[in-house]
Amino acid sequence: MAKQEDLFKNVISHAKEYGYIFASSEIYDGLSAVYDYGQNGAELKKNIREYWWKSMVQLHQNIVGIDASILMHPKTWKASGHVDAFNDPLIDNKDSKKRYRADVLVEDYAEKLLQKAQKEIDKAKKRFGDAFNEEEFVSTNDRVIRYLSQRKEILERLGRSLTNEDLVDVKALIEELEIADPDTGSKNWTDVRQFNLMFGTKMGASADTSSDLYLRPETAQGIFVNFSNVQKTGRMKIPFGIAQTGKAFRNEIVARQFIFRMREFEQMEMQFFVRPGEELKWYEHWKETRLKWHYSLNLGEENYRFHDHDKLAHYANAAADIEFNFPFGFKELEGIHSRTDFDLKAHEEHSGKKLRFFDPELNENYVPYVVETSIGLDRMFLAVLSSSLKDETLEDGSSRTVLKLPAILAPTKAAILPLVKKDGLPELAQEIIDELKWNFKVQYDEKDAIGRRYRRQDAAGTPLCITVDHDSLQDKSVTVRYRDTMIQKRVLISELASIIDAEVNFKKWMGNS
Ligand code: ATP
């Protein structure tokens, strides 16, 4: 555990040191759970967004993209259910003054029971060796049975209380289980109350005429309200999708995991409209397609797993998360939801406008069903950054820190390095940059010895270093050094564009998945 915490701390400090992520308004001591992307972070984020957009919109003839506004008519959020149901149950500890999500406190307690059961299983496994029958042990060992049934009971009771909005019982559960403040051990709790996660704001100049609005808590609703606009003007036929990337805002109760849980974040969402009855087939299709997208980036297939939801949201008839192995364990990275016709129907009711599709093959008018893929751009950023950061020991015993970002996502594709700052080498390096910059983000670096410059570019995640030396002036060749293998090759300057392209080509990355 300590090791994992260290790794996470390393990621956070590396992100700052190399211009990826800063605390928001840091000179004023920052703003809780709000972050700014620096010069490298903005590039990496843009490249992830583009990789998603191209694979969704450019590669699919039946998916188009939009860019809806953050502010929407307030009835949108009544129709979507967010005004009434976008709540988390919160509880305060009266002694420590710390605030927690009541459901998470109970879930963490239940998780500990699972860990205790697992410990018993592991112990027995060791004792019995090859003869160990896990299934039999789990169904007969008193302790394991007790831990697991207690866990099941607790989670079922929590689920029931939350569904019935019985917050008194959630508090009773916390007291019965004697759950203490994880930081201080105090059991002196307030009552549990619902907390709506939407940020409110006002539109208009005068206090009397201004209206109450919300900053959108998800981008999806901007797609639903534009369903007919896009379908008609784009002459889209079902099945078809609408994609969008953009900011969303949630006033999260507990936001302590760097850019994993932010109050202002960005989503990349796609709503796929299908015939009623075909939604589960498309749900399976998009689960598989999205997982392939993740695999294409080579962050390690073992770092992903599906988690099917037991408790479905009010709008869904199937839902799964793609979880990623973050430095603090497997957590949700992307959600794939079969949202039925809930949203379009609700908007029909609240707006009085028809949101339907005339299906010429069926000769029928219907409200389409929806399968959604929804991924947090910032969480994807954290997944990429944390799994790419490596400390390596080299053959000569020295060590290096290297950020093995997928080349297609790297902020800078190549650094152009004149061996010395004189003899015409900087000028030739500049000529190379002037040629390459039209197609690739490249960077000039002449400070320090060449070895240190390589290390700096390794740590910043630059896949290629191109060194210009005295021979380059005569033979029109340079040395290319590859970040991951550290292999060096002598190549003609005229070949550089195609060498970089081979590393960052979209078809090479996405086409192989
Ligand atoms: P969680 O259970 O972690 O709160 P969620 O189930 O509420 O997430 P969704 O409403 O399904 O999340 O949102 C879709 C995606 O948006 C998530 O998979 C996640 O990647 C991203 N996301 C949601 N909330 C946040 C947040 N506060 N900060 C960063 N990304 C977020």
Side-chain angles (χ1 to χ4, degrees), residues 45-223:
K45 196 174 169 199
K46 171 180 69 68
N47 292 342
I48 296 173
R49 191 190 295 112
E50 195 173 287
Y51 194 65
W52 181 89
W53 185 273
K54 278 189 173 174
S55 65
M56 284 301 204
V57 179
Q58 192 171 312
L59 295 188
H60 292 97
Q61 289 297 303
N62 61 348
I63 300 180
V64 290
I66 64 164
D67 185 10
S69 54
I70 287 170
L71 299 176
M72 300 180 71
H73 194 290
K75 277 191 185 169
T76 310
W77 307 111
K78 190 72 192 157
S80 67
H82 283 82
V83 171
D84 297 319
F86 198 52
N87 299 322
D88 279 340
L90 76 78
I91 191 165
D92 290 303
N93 187 281
K94 289 188 201 162
D95 296 329
S96 71
K97 308 277 178 261
K98 287 218 159 156
R99 178 159 285 183
Y100 294 93
R101 268 177 60 176
D103 55 337
V104 172
L105 287 178
V106 177
E107 279 164 9
D108 285 351
Y109 184 94
E111 177 65 24
K112 278 191 199 127
L113 291 170
L114 185 66
Q115 284 167 7
K116 279 184 185 167
Q118 191 58 48
K119 232 183 185 169
E120 295 293 331
I121 297 169
D122 291 345
K123 261 196 324 206
K125 214 182 256 171
K126 247 196 199 148
R127 196 154 19 122
F128 295 116
D130 286 345
F132 183 60
N133 180 339
E134 184 166 331
E135 218 171 289
E136 191 186 314
F137 183 76
V138 169
S139 60
T140 52
N141 180 278
D142 285 347
R143 278 200 201 147
V144 173
I145 292 174
R146 200 174 60 240
Y147 290 141
L148 293 182
S149 70
Q150 206 188 345
R151 172 176 178 267
K152 189 161 172 265
E153 254 170 54
I154 291 170
L155 289 177
E156 279 174 3
R157 179 164 157 201
L158 176 69
R160 261 196 319 274
S161 309
L162 290 176
T163 311
N164 301 333
E165 298 222 14
D166 185 354
L167 300 183
V168 174
D169 190 56
V170 178
K171 165 93 184 274
L173 189 56
I174 288 174
E175 286 179 336
E176 280 168 38
L177 297 174
E178 300 190 11
I179 295 176
D181 181 328
D183 277 357
T184 63
S186 158
K187 294 176 193 161
N188 192 6
W189 297 109
T190 63
D191 287 341
V192 178
R193 48 192 199 286
Q194 289 290 23
F195 179 75
N196 192 290
L197 298 185
M198 282 199 292
F199 275 100
T201 187
K202 295 226 176 268
M203 184 157 91
S206 103
D208 316 331
T209 56
S210 67
S211 49
D212 287 322
L213 296 185
Y214 296 105
L215 302 181
R216 65 180 178 197
E218 62 176 26
T219 56
Q221 300 303 325
I223 294 178

Side-chain angles (χ1 to χ4, degrees), residues 48 293-294 297 299 333 375-384:
I48 296 173
W293 181 86
H294 286 286
L297 288 169
L299 302 181
L333 169 60
I375 174 169
L377 174 49
D378 313 87
R379 279 195 196 173
M380 187 61 201
F381 187 110
L382 183 58
V384 171

